Amino acid sequence: MTNGSEAMETNRIHADATKDFFVNMITRDISLRDCIFDLLDNSIDGARRFVDASNSFENYTIKLKFSAQTFEISDNCGGIRLSDAIDYAFHFGRRPGSPADVKGGIGLYGIGMKRAIFKIGRLCNVHSEAEDATFKVHVDVDQWKGDESWDFYYEDAAPTGTNGTRIVIERLNEGVSIMLGDPGFRNELIKDIARDYAFFIQKGIRIIVGDDDVPSYKFQLRASESLSPSVEEYSDGKVRVRILAGLVDDLPDDIPDELRPGKVERFGWFVICNDRIVLSADKTDRTIWGDDEFQVWHPQYNGFAGFLFFQAEDQRALPWTTTKRDLDATSPLYRRAVARMKAVTVPFIKYTNERKLDLKAAKQAEAPSSHFDLSELVHTQSLRLPTVSNGIRPDQVTISFRKPKAEVEEIRRHVGNITLSAKDVGTLAFDYYMSVELGK
Protein backbone atom coordinates (compact mmCIF):
# COMPACT_ATOMS: atom_id res chain seq x y z
CA MET A 1 0.00 0.00 0.00
CA THR A 2 1.35 3.45 -0.93
CA ASN A 3 1.01 6.19 1.65
CA GLY A 4 0.20 9.82 0.79
CA SER A 5 3.78 11.13 0.84
CA GLU A 6 4.98 8.32 -1.44
CA ALA A 7 2.13 9.03 -3.85
CA MET A 8 3.04 12.71 -3.89
CA GLU A 9 6.67 11.83 -4.67
CA THR A 10 5.64 9.41 -7.44
CA ASN A 11 3.37 12.00 -9.01
CA ARG A 12 5.89 14.88 -8.76
CA ILE A 13 6.34 17.12 -11.83
CA HIS A 14 9.75 18.78 -11.73
CA ALA A 15 9.79 22.56 -12.28
CA ASP A 16 13.33 23.45 -11.28
CA ALA A 17 14.97 26.33 -13.11
CA THR A 18 18.07 25.46 -15.09
CA LYS A 19 21.06 27.70 -14.54
CA ASP A 20 21.61 28.15 -18.26
CA PHE A 21 18.04 29.39 -18.76
CA PHE A 22 18.29 31.61 -15.68
CA VAL A 23 21.57 33.21 -16.78
CA ASN A 24 20.27 33.86 -20.29
CA MET A 25 16.96 35.17 -19.02
CA ILE A 26 18.28 37.81 -16.62
CA THR A 27 20.89 39.12 -19.09
CA ARG A 28 18.94 39.12 -22.35
CA ASP A 29 16.99 42.35 -21.92
CA ILE A 30 19.64 44.55 -20.32
CA SER A 31 22.38 46.40 -22.14
CA LEU A 32 26.08 46.24 -21.32
CA ARG A 33 25.96 49.89 -20.29
CA ASP A 34 23.17 49.28 -17.80
CA CYS A 35 25.00 46.27 -16.33
CA ILE A 36 28.01 48.53 -15.76
CA PHE A 37 25.63 51.05 -14.19
CA ASP A 38 24.38 48.32 -11.81
CA LEU A 39 27.94 47.92 -10.57
CA LEU A 40 28.30 51.69 -10.17
CA ASP A 41 25.04 51.69 -8.20
CA ASN A 42 26.42 49.09 -5.80
CA SER A 43 29.56 51.16 -5.22
CA ILE A 44 27.53 54.32 -4.57
CA ASP A 45 25.26 52.47 -2.14
CA GLY A 46 28.36 51.22 -0.35
CA ALA A 47 29.53 54.80 0.14
CA ARG A 48 26.04 55.92 1.15
CA ARG A 49 26.27 53.78 4.31
CA PHE A 50 28.93 56.17 5.57
CA VAL A 51 27.61 59.49 4.25
CA ASP A 52 26.60 61.83 7.05
CA ALA A 53 23.81 64.40 7.24
CA SER A 54 25.69 66.69 4.84
CA ASN A 55 24.99 64.12 2.10
CA SER A 56 28.51 64.64 0.75
CA PHE A 57 30.27 61.89 -1.21
CA GLU A 58 33.64 63.63 -1.04
CA ASN A 59 36.67 61.29 -0.80
CA TYR A 60 34.86 58.35 -2.44
CA THR A 61 36.19 57.17 -5.82
CA ILE A 62 35.06 54.56 -8.34
CA LYS A 63 37.43 53.44 -11.10
CA LEU A 64 36.54 51.63 -14.33
CA LYS A 65 39.17 50.00 -16.54
CA PHE A 66 38.43 47.77 -19.50
CA SER A 67 39.71 46.45 -22.80
CA ALA A 68 38.78 43.70 -25.23
CA GLN A 69 40.28 41.18 -22.78
CA THR A 70 39.23 42.31 -19.29
CA PHE A 71 36.83 44.50 -17.30
CA GLU A 72 37.56 45.92 -13.85
CA ILE A 73 35.69 48.12 -11.41
CA SER A 74 37.20 49.13 -8.07
CA ASP A 75 36.23 51.57 -5.34
CA ASN A 76 37.01 52.77 -1.83
CA CYS A 77 33.33 52.82 -0.88
CA GLY A 78 33.39 50.56 2.18
CA GLY A 79 33.34 47.09 0.65
CA ILE A 80 30.83 44.26 1.00
CA ARG A 81 30.49 43.08 4.58
CA LEU A 82 31.14 39.35 4.88
CA SER A 83 27.87 38.85 6.73
CA ASP A 84 26.01 40.47 3.83
CA ALA A 85 27.95 38.42 1.27
CA ILE A 86 27.03 35.17 3.02
CA ASP A 87 23.38 35.96 3.64
CA TYR A 88 22.31 38.41 0.92
CA ALA A 89 24.73 39.91 -1.60
CA PHE A 90 25.26 36.81 -3.73
CA HIS A 91 21.67 35.62 -3.61
CA PHE A 92 19.54 35.83 -6.74
CA GLY A 93 16.90 38.27 -5.60
CA ARG A 94 15.65 39.33 -2.19
CA ARG A 95 14.69 36.50 0.14
CA PRO A 96 11.74 36.91 2.53
CA GLY A 97 12.89 38.53 5.74
CA SER A 98 16.10 39.94 4.25
CA PRO A 99 16.92 43.48 5.36
CA ALA A 100 16.22 46.39 3.05
CA ASP A 101 19.07 47.92 1.10
CA VAL A 102 20.81 51.00 2.47
CA LYS A 103 18.22 53.69 3.13
CA GLY A 104 17.70 55.93 0.14
CA GLY A 105 19.82 53.66 -2.05
CA ILE A 106 19.70 52.84 -5.73
CA GLY A 107 20.42 49.10 -5.60
CA LEU A 108 17.32 47.12 -6.47
CA TYR A 109 16.00 43.54 -6.31
CA GLY A 110 19.36 41.92 -5.50
CA ILE A 111 20.41 40.76 -8.97
CA GLY A 112 22.61 43.61 -10.25
CA MET A 113 26.11 42.27 -9.50
CA LYS A 114 25.36 38.70 -10.60
CA ARG A 115 23.60 39.86 -13.76
CA ALA A 116 26.55 42.11 -14.65
CA ILE A 117 29.05 39.28 -14.17
CA PHE A 118 27.06 36.92 -16.38
CA LYS A 119 26.54 39.60 -19.04
CA ILE A 120 30.19 40.60 -19.24
CA GLY A 121 32.21 37.39 -19.03
CA ARG A 122 32.79 33.84 -17.84
CA LEU A 123 35.45 34.28 -15.16
CA CYS A 124 35.20 36.72 -12.26
CA ASN A 125 37.08 37.54 -9.07
CA VAL A 126 35.46 39.69 -6.40
CA HIS A 127 37.73 41.10 -3.69
CA SER A 128 36.11 42.91 -0.77
CA GLU A 129 37.57 44.64 2.24
CA ALA A 130 35.02 45.86 4.78
CA GLU A 131 34.85 46.63 8.48
CA ASP A 132 34.18 43.00 9.45
CA ALA A 133 36.44 41.00 7.09
CA THR A 134 38.51 40.84 3.91
CA PHE A 135 37.61 38.06 1.49
CA LYS A 136 37.54 37.08 -2.17
CA VAL A 137 35.07 35.11 -4.27
CA HIS A 138 36.06 33.30 -7.45
CA VAL A 139 33.28 32.69 -9.98
CA ASP A 140 33.87 30.43 -12.98
CA VAL A 141 30.50 30.79 -14.68
CA ASP A 142 30.78 27.70 -16.89
CA GLN A 143 31.90 25.52 -13.98
CA TRP A 144 29.21 26.95 -11.73
CA LYS A 145 26.52 26.23 -14.33
CA GLY A 146 27.59 22.57 -14.31
CA ASP A 147 27.30 22.19 -10.53
CA GLU A 148 24.07 21.18 -8.83
CA SER A 149 24.59 23.74 -6.07
CA TRP A 150 23.71 27.38 -6.66
CA ASP A 151 26.14 28.54 -3.98
CA PHE A 152 29.39 30.48 -4.30
CA TYR A 153 32.38 30.13 -1.97
CA TYR A 154 34.69 32.71 -0.41
CA GLU A 155 38.25 32.68 0.84
CA ASP A 156 39.81 34.89 3.48
CA ALA A 157 42.23 37.48 2.12
CA ALA A 158 44.87 39.79 3.57
CA PRO A 159 43.66 43.35 4.23
CA THR A 160 45.25 46.26 2.37
CA GLY A 161 44.06 49.05 4.64
CA THR A 162 41.47 50.49 2.23
CA ASN A 163 37.86 49.38 2.58
CA GLY A 164 36.35 48.85 -0.84
CA THR A 165 35.48 46.36 -3.55
CA ARG A 166 37.36 45.25 -6.66
CA ILE A 167 35.69 43.15 -9.35
CA VAL A 168 37.74 41.77 -12.25
CA ILE A 169 35.99 39.93 -15.08
CA GLU A 170 37.86 37.98 -17.77
CA ARG A 171 37.05 35.57 -20.60
CA LEU A 172 34.69 38.23 -21.89
CA ASN A 173 31.62 37.27 -23.90
CA GLU A 174 32.18 37.84 -27.61
CA GLY A 175 29.90 40.82 -28.18
CA VAL A 176 31.01 42.43 -24.92
CA SER A 177 34.67 42.04 -25.89
CA ILE A 178 34.05 43.91 -29.14
CA MET A 179 32.23 46.75 -27.39
CA LEU A 180 34.76 47.16 -24.58
CA GLY A 181 37.56 47.30 -27.15
CA ASP A 182 35.82 50.11 -29.07
CA PRO A 183 36.97 53.66 -28.15
CA GLY A 184 33.58 54.95 -29.28
CA PHE A 185 31.83 52.88 -26.60
CA ARG A 186 34.19 54.26 -23.96
CA ASN A 187 33.46 57.86 -24.97
CA GLU A 188 29.70 57.31 -25.00
CA LEU A 189 29.90 55.58 -21.62
CA ILE A 190 31.66 58.60 -20.10
CA LYS A 191 28.95 60.91 -21.47
CA ASP A 192 26.17 58.68 -20.15
CA ILE A 193 27.75 58.42 -16.70
CA ALA A 194 28.21 62.21 -16.59
CA ARG A 195 24.51 62.67 -17.30
CA ASP A 196 22.88 59.84 -15.33
CA TYR A 197 25.06 60.21 -12.23
CA ALA A 198 25.23 64.01 -12.39
CA PHE A 199 23.65 64.51 -8.98
CA PHE A 200 26.11 62.15 -7.28
CA ILE A 201 29.09 63.75 -9.01
CA GLN A 202 27.86 67.16 -7.83
CA LYS A 203 27.82 65.73 -4.30
CA GLY A 204 31.48 64.88 -4.58
CA ILE A 205 31.85 61.29 -5.75
CA ARG A 206 34.66 60.83 -8.27
CA ILE A 207 34.21 58.39 -11.17
CA ILE A 208 37.22 57.60 -13.37
CA VAL A 209 37.05 55.72 -16.68
CA GLY A 210 40.55 54.66 -17.70
CA ASP A 211 42.62 57.78 -17.04
CA ASP A 212 39.76 60.24 -17.46
CA ASP A 213 37.60 61.77 -14.75
CA VAL A 214 33.93 61.79 -15.64
CA PRO A 215 33.03 65.50 -15.85
CA SER A 216 30.34 67.21 -13.83
CA TYR A 217 27.17 67.60 -15.89
CA LYS A 218 25.16 70.40 -14.32
CA PHE A 219 21.47 70.95 -14.95
CA GLN A 220 20.42 74.59 -14.67
CA LEU A 221 17.23 76.49 -15.44
CA ARG A 222 17.01 80.06 -16.71
CA ALA A 223 15.59 83.00 -14.81
CA SER A 224 15.01 86.72 -15.42
CA GLU A 225 12.44 89.38 -14.60
CA SER A 226 9.98 87.80 -17.03
CA LEU A 227 11.13 84.19 -16.79
CA SER A 228 11.25 81.73 -13.90
CA PRO A 229 11.01 77.94 -13.55
CA SER A 230 8.16 76.16 -11.81
CA VAL A 231 8.88 74.44 -8.51
CA GLU A 232 6.48 72.03 -6.81
CA GLU A 233 7.08 69.63 -3.94
CA TYR A 234 4.72 67.23 -2.19
CA SER A 235 4.60 63.90 -0.39
CA ASP A 236 2.86 60.85 -1.82
CA GLY A 237 2.79 58.20 0.89
CA LYS A 238 6.40 57.62 1.94
CA VAL A 239 7.80 59.15 -1.27
CA ARG A 240 8.86 62.78 -1.58
CA VAL A 241 8.17 64.22 -5.04
CA ARG A 242 9.67 67.35 -6.62
CA ILE A 243 8.71 68.69 -10.05
CA LEU A 244 10.83 71.40 -11.68
CA ALA A 245 10.34 72.80 -15.18
CA GLY A 246 11.55 75.69 -17.27
CA LEU A 247 13.95 76.77 -20.00
CA VAL A 248 17.46 75.35 -20.19
CA ASP A 249 18.36 76.85 -23.56
CA ASP A 250 17.15 79.08 -26.36
CA LEU A 251 13.84 78.15 -27.88
CA PRO A 252 14.28 77.55 -31.62
CA ASP A 253 13.22 79.86 -34.41
CA ASP A 254 13.10 78.43 -37.92
CA ILE A 255 16.08 76.08 -37.58
CA PRO A 256 15.01 72.48 -38.32
CA ASP A 257 15.39 70.10 -35.41
CA GLU A 258 17.67 67.76 -37.40
CA LEU A 259 20.20 70.58 -37.77
CA ARG A 260 20.54 70.93 -33.99
CA PRO A 261 21.57 67.40 -32.95
CA GLY A 262 23.98 68.57 -30.27
CA LYS A 263 21.24 70.12 -28.15
CA VAL A 264 18.13 67.97 -28.37
CA GLU A 265 19.18 65.58 -25.54
CA ARG A 266 18.97 68.44 -23.04
CA PHE A 267 15.26 68.89 -23.69
CA GLY A 268 12.19 66.95 -22.59
CA TRP A 269 11.30 65.36 -19.26
CA PHE A 270 13.84 63.75 -16.92
CA VAL A 271 12.78 61.29 -14.22
CA ILE A 272 15.12 60.79 -11.26
CA CYS A 273 14.81 58.15 -8.52
CA ASN A 274 16.93 58.69 -5.39
CA ASP A 275 19.24 60.98 -7.42
CA ARG A 276 19.78 58.36 -10.17
CA ILE A 277 18.46 59.49 -13.58
CA VAL A 278 16.14 56.79 -14.94
CA LEU A 279 14.72 58.57 -17.99
CA SER A 280 16.66 61.39 -19.61
CA ALA A 281 15.37 64.02 -22.02
CA ASP A 282 12.28 61.93 -22.74
CA LYS A 283 10.08 63.06 -25.60
CA THR A 284 7.71 60.08 -25.68
CA ASP A 285 4.62 58.78 -23.92
CA ARG A 286 6.89 57.17 -21.33
CA THR A 287 6.45 60.55 -19.64
CA ILE A 288 3.71 62.86 -20.99
CA TRP A 289 4.24 63.42 -24.71
CA GLY A 290 1.39 61.73 -26.58
CA ASP A 291 0.21 60.06 -23.38
CA ASP A 292 -3.57 59.70 -23.30
CA GLU A 293 -3.95 62.14 -26.23
CA PHE A 294 -1.70 64.78 -24.69
CA GLN A 295 0.32 66.85 -27.16
CA VAL A 296 3.19 64.93 -28.78
CA TRP A 297 6.68 66.41 -28.67
CA HIS A 298 7.42 68.98 -31.36
CA PRO A 299 10.80 70.56 -32.26
CA GLN A 300 9.42 73.98 -31.31
CA TYR A 301 9.64 72.82 -27.66
CA ASN A 302 13.44 72.50 -27.80
CA GLY A 303 14.73 74.60 -24.92
CA PHE A 304 12.25 73.19 -22.38
CA ALA A 305 13.22 70.70 -19.68
CA GLY A 306 11.26 69.22 -16.81
CA PHE A 307 12.62 67.21 -13.90
CA LEU A 308 10.57 64.77 -11.84
CA PHE A 309 12.35 63.67 -8.65
CA PHE A 310 11.24 60.72 -6.53
CA GLN A 311 12.99 60.28 -3.18
CA ALA A 312 12.34 57.45 -0.70
CA GLU A 313 14.25 55.68 2.05
CA ASP A 314 12.88 52.37 0.75
CA GLN A 315 13.80 52.29 -2.94
CA ARG A 316 11.26 49.54 -3.54
CA ALA A 317 8.55 52.20 -3.18
CA LEU A 318 9.80 53.95 -6.34
CA PRO A 319 8.22 53.25 -9.75
CA TRP A 320 11.32 51.99 -11.64
CA THR A 321 12.06 48.67 -13.32
CA THR A 322 14.92 46.25 -12.59
CA THR A 323 17.10 47.79 -15.32
CA LYS A 324 16.56 51.28 -13.85
CA ARG A 325 16.16 52.44 -17.43
CA ASP A 326 12.36 52.58 -17.45
CA LEU A 327 9.35 53.21 -15.24
CA ASP A 328 6.28 51.25 -14.28
CA ALA A 329 3.74 53.25 -16.26
CA THR A 330 0.86 51.69 -14.28
CA SER A 331 2.18 52.82 -10.90
CA PRO A 332 -0.43 55.07 -9.20
CA LEU A 333 2.44 57.09 -7.72
CA TYR A 334 3.80 57.75 -11.20
CA ARG A 335 0.39 58.41 -12.80
CA ARG A 336 -0.38 61.07 -10.18
CA ALA A 337 2.94 62.75 -10.93
CA VAL A 338 2.29 62.59 -14.69
CA ALA A 339 -0.96 64.55 -14.23
CA ARG A 340 0.99 67.33 -12.50
CA MET A 341 3.71 67.25 -15.17
CA LYS A 342 1.05 67.80 -17.84
CA ALA A 343 -0.42 70.74 -15.92
CA VAL A 344 3.03 72.35 -15.75
CA THR A 345 3.68 71.80 -19.46
CA VAL A 346 0.38 73.14 -20.85
CA PRO A 347 1.25 76.84 -20.28
CA PHE A 348 4.60 76.31 -21.97
CA ILE A 349 2.94 74.73 -25.02
CA LYS A 350 0.59 77.69 -25.21
CA TYR A 351 3.51 80.10 -25.00
CA THR A 352 5.45 78.45 -27.84
CA ASN A 353 2.47 79.06 -30.08
CA GLU A 354 1.96 82.68 -28.97
CA ARG A 355 5.63 83.67 -29.32
CA LYS A 356 5.39 83.18 -33.08
CA LEU A 357 3.45 86.47 -33.23
CA ASP A 358 6.62 88.40 -32.40
CA LEU A 359 9.59 86.04 -32.42
CA LYS A 360 12.19 88.79 -32.09
CA ALA A 361 10.62 90.25 -28.96
CA ALA A 362 10.12 86.78 -27.50
CA LYS A 363 13.77 85.85 -27.89
CA GLN A 364 14.83 89.09 -26.23
CA ALA A 365 12.47 88.46 -23.30
CA GLU A 366 13.74 84.90 -22.92
CA ALA A 367 17.36 86.02 -22.47
CA PRO A 368 18.34 84.91 -18.95
CA SER A 369 19.84 87.19 -16.33
CA SER A 370 20.78 84.18 -14.18
CA HIS A 371 20.82 80.39 -14.07
CA PHE A 372 19.85 78.23 -11.10
CA ASP A 373 21.12 74.76 -10.26
CA LEU A 374 18.21 72.44 -9.56
CA SER A 375 19.32 72.08 -5.93
CA GLU A 376 18.91 75.86 -5.48
CA LEU A 377 15.22 75.80 -6.46
CA VAL A 378 13.54 75.15 -3.14
CA HIS A 379 10.60 77.58 -2.96
CA THR A 380 7.28 76.67 -4.57
CA GLN A 381 6.53 78.88 -7.56
CA SER A 382 4.66 78.73 -10.85
CA LEU A 383 6.22 78.72 -14.30
CA ARG A 384 6.56 82.32 -15.49
CA LEU A 385 7.03 83.00 -19.19
CA PRO A 386 7.34 86.30 -21.08
CA THR A 387 4.31 88.14 -22.36
CA VAL A 388 4.97 88.49 -26.06
CA SER A 389 2.11 90.77 -27.07
CA ASN A 390 -0.89 92.32 -25.33
CA GLY A 391 -2.65 93.17 -28.57
CA ILE A 392 -5.79 91.36 -29.68
CA ARG A 393 -5.59 89.89 -33.15
CA PRO A 394 -8.55 90.36 -35.52
CA ASP A 395 -9.09 86.60 -35.57
CA GLN A 396 -9.36 86.40 -31.77
CA VAL A 397 -12.45 86.58 -29.57
CA THR A 398 -13.00 87.04 -25.84
CA ILE A 399 -14.55 84.12 -24.00
CA SER A 400 -16.38 84.79 -20.73
CA PHE A 401 -18.33 82.30 -18.62
CA ARG A 402 -19.32 81.69 -15.00
CA LYS A 403 -18.46 78.67 -12.86
CA PRO A 404 -18.90 77.87 -9.15
CA LYS A 405 -16.15 79.39 -7.03
CA ALA A 406 -15.48 76.05 -5.30
CA GLU A 407 -14.75 74.39 -8.65
CA VAL A 408 -12.35 77.17 -9.64
CA GLU A 409 -10.59 76.74 -6.27
CA GLU A 410 -10.37 72.99 -6.90
CA ILE A 411 -8.59 73.58 -10.22
CA ARG A 412 -6.17 76.01 -8.55
CA ARG A 413 -5.28 73.40 -5.94
CA HIS A 414 -4.94 70.67 -8.56
CA VAL A 415 -2.41 72.63 -10.61
CA GLY A 416 -0.62 73.67 -7.42
CA ASN A 417 -1.06 77.43 -7.78
CA ILE A 418 -3.71 79.01 -5.55
CA THR A 419 -2.77 82.48 -6.82
CA LEU A 420 -4.15 81.91 -10.32
CA SER A 421 -6.78 84.44 -11.36
CA ALA A 422 -10.18 83.23 -12.51
CA LYS A 423 -9.22 84.41 -16.02
CA ASP A 424 -6.05 82.31 -15.90
CA VAL A 425 -8.03 79.27 -14.75
CA GLY A 426 -10.39 79.69 -17.69
CA THR A 427 -7.48 80.05 -20.13
CA LEU A 428 -5.79 77.00 -18.64
CA ALA A 429 -8.95 74.93 -19.03
CA PHE A 430 -9.38 76.05 -22.64
CA ASP A 431 -5.73 75.36 -23.50
CA TYR A 432 -5.91 71.95 -21.86
CA TYR A 433 -8.94 71.05 -23.97
CA MET A 434 -7.19 72.25 -27.13
CA SER A 435 -4.10 70.22 -26.27
CA VAL A 436 -5.70 67.00 -25.01
CA GLU A 437 -8.81 66.79 -27.19
CA LEU A 438 -7.58 68.46 -30.39
CA GLY A 439 -3.84 67.91 -30.13
CA LYS A 440 -2.97 71.55 -30.69
Side-chain angles (χ1 to χ4, degrees):
M1 182 174 178
T2 303
N3 61 35
S5 60
E6 291 175 339
M8 288 291 289
E9 185 65 33
T10 302
N11 298 337
R12 181 190 297 269
I13 297 175
H14 296 286
D16 297 335
T18 66
K19 289 181 179 179
D20 189 65
F21 171 77
F22 183 81
V23 169
N24 290 333
M25 178 183 67
I26 67 171
T27 59
R28 181 177 299 274
D29 295 328
I30 189 169
S31 69
L32 172 61
R33 182 198 65 171
D34 288 333
C35 280
I36 294 173
F37 281 13
D38 270 339
L39 298 176
L40 288 172
D41 292 346
N42 289 343
S43 293
I44 291 172
D45 276 353
R48 194 189 296 268
R49 300 201 314 263
F50 307 99
V51 169
D52 59 21
S54 68
N55 206 22
S56 171
F57 283 78
E58 294 284 350
N59 302 319
Y60 292 105
T61 301
I62 308 170
K63 298 179 180 179
L64 291 168
K65 296 180 181 179
F66 50 81
S67 67
Q69 289 76 42
T70 185
F71 172 89
E72 177 181 335
I73 181 171
S74 59
D75 65 56
N76 65 342
C77 298
I80 305 169
R81 290 175 294 212
L82 180 58
S83 57
D84 288 342
I86 293 173
D87 293 329
Y88 311 111
F90 284 87
H91 286 178
F92 294 95
R94 296 274 173 233
R95 296 188 179 180
S98 65
D101 287 292
V102 59
K103 289 183 178 180
I106 50 179
L108 200 64
Y109 301 115
I111 61 173
M113 179 173 65
K114 286 78 66 178
R115 178 165 59 183
I117 291 171
F118 295 151
K119 181 77 174 184
I120 295 172
R122 319 309 291 171
L123 190 66
C124 177
N125 285 289
V126 180
H127 184 281
S128 174
E129 186 167 341
E131 63 265 34
D132 64 344
T134 302
F135 65 92
K136 58 183 178 181
V137 178
H138 176 76
V139 180
D140 185 321
V141 177
D142 294 323
Q143 180 179 337
W144 175 81
K145 285 167 62 176
D147 294 338
E148 290 187 7
S149 172
W150 285 65
D151 294 334
F152 301 102
Y153 298 89
Y154 76 91
E155 300 176 26
D156 293 326
T160 66
T162 300
N163 287 359
T165 304
R166 180 171 177 258
I167 300 174
V168 180
I169 305 175
E170 299 174 300
R171 268 197 257 153
L172 304 185
N173 294 321
E174 183 178 0
V176 170
S177 175
I178 294 172
M179 293 182 71
L180 293 183
D182 181 359
F185 174 81
R186 174 188 170 280
N187 294 338
E188 289 300 315
L189 182 68
I190 291 175
K191 289 167 57 178
D192 290 342
I193 293 173
R195 180 193 63 203
D196 290 3
Y197 292 87
F199 300 108
F200 292 106
I201 294 173
Q202 287 182 32
K203 291 177 179 180
I205 201 159
R206 185 182 180 195
I207 302 177
I208 305 172
V209 179
D211 296 324
D212 297 318
D213 277 72
V214 175
S216 178
Y217 189 119
K218 289 188 177 181
F219 294 99
Q220 296 182 319
L221 293 174
R222 292 178 163 206
S224 67
E225 289 186 1
S226 58
L227 183 69
S228 63
S230 67
V231 182
E232 180 180 7
E233 184 170 348
Y234 63 94
S235 293
D236 192 328
K238 295 183 178 181
V239 179
R240 185 165 63 92
V241 186
R242 292 182 73 221
I243 303 176
L244 312 176
L247 298 188
V248 293
D249 208 343
D250 291 329
L251 291 174
D253 37 36
D254 295 327
I255 302 175
D257 182 46
E258 61 270 19
L259 298 182
R260 299 166 61 108
K263 295 187 177 182
V264 293
E265 290 195 4
R266 291 165 51 83
F267 313 142
W269 274 98
F270 293 74
V271 182
I272 303 98
C273 291
N274 281 359
D275 288 334
R276 162 79 136 78
I277 292 181
V278 178
L279 289 183
S280 59
D282 183 79
K283 303 174 184 66
T284 73
D285 60 3
R286 295 162 79 190
T287 51
I288 68 170
W289 308 106
D291 173 72
D292 195 22
E293 299 187 359
F294 192 81
Q295 176 67 44
V296 298
W297 177 268
H298 189 278
Q300 78 181 41
Y301 306 151
N302 283 351
F304 171 87
F307 300 85
L308 169 62
F309 289 86
F310 291 111
Q311 199 81 26
E313 288 193 352
D314 185 351
Q315 52 267 48
R316 292 170 294 187
L318 303 178
W320 49 7
T321 62
T322 67
T323 63
K324 285 167 276 189
R325 186 54 52 197
D326 210 342
L327 295 155
D328 177 6
T330 65
S331 163
L333 168 68
Y334 184 55
R335 296 314 306 172
R336 288 189 287 269
V338 164
R340 293 174 182 251
M341 293 158 65
K342 289 178 179 178
V344 169
T345 310
V346 166
F348 170 77
I349 292 174
K350 173 189 174 186
Y351 172 71
T352 62
N353 291 322
E354 289 178 344
R355 70 191 292 272
K356 299 174 184 177
L357 298 175
D358 192 343
L359 190 59
K360 182 178 179 181
K363 294 182 78 68
Q364 290 176 346
E366 291 160 8
S369 58
S370 59
H371 292 79
F372 288 97
D373 289 343
L374 301 190
S375 60
E376 298 176 304
L377 298 169
V378 294
H379 300 294
T380 299
Q381 61 187 38
S382 298
L383 180 66
R384 187 168 75 245
L385 296 163
T387 301
V388 178
S389 174
N390 293 322
I392 303 298
R393 294 186 340 209
D395 60 344
Q396 291 181 328
V397 297
T398 299
I399 299 175
S400 178
F401 56 90
R402 295 182 177 275
K403 284 292 178 183
K405 185 177 180 179
E407 293 181 4
V408 175
E409 291 293 336
E410 186 176 3
I411 293 176
R412 287 175 176 146
R413 290 193 301 271
H414 181 76
V415 300
N417 185 356
I418 61 174
T419 65
L420 280 179
S421 67
K423 176 183 176 182
D424 289 338
V425 171
T427 301
L428 182 66
F430 183 87
D431 291 342
Y432 184 79
Y433 184 91
M434 291 292 294
S435 175
V436 173
E437 298 296 333
L438 303 180
K440 295 182 179 181

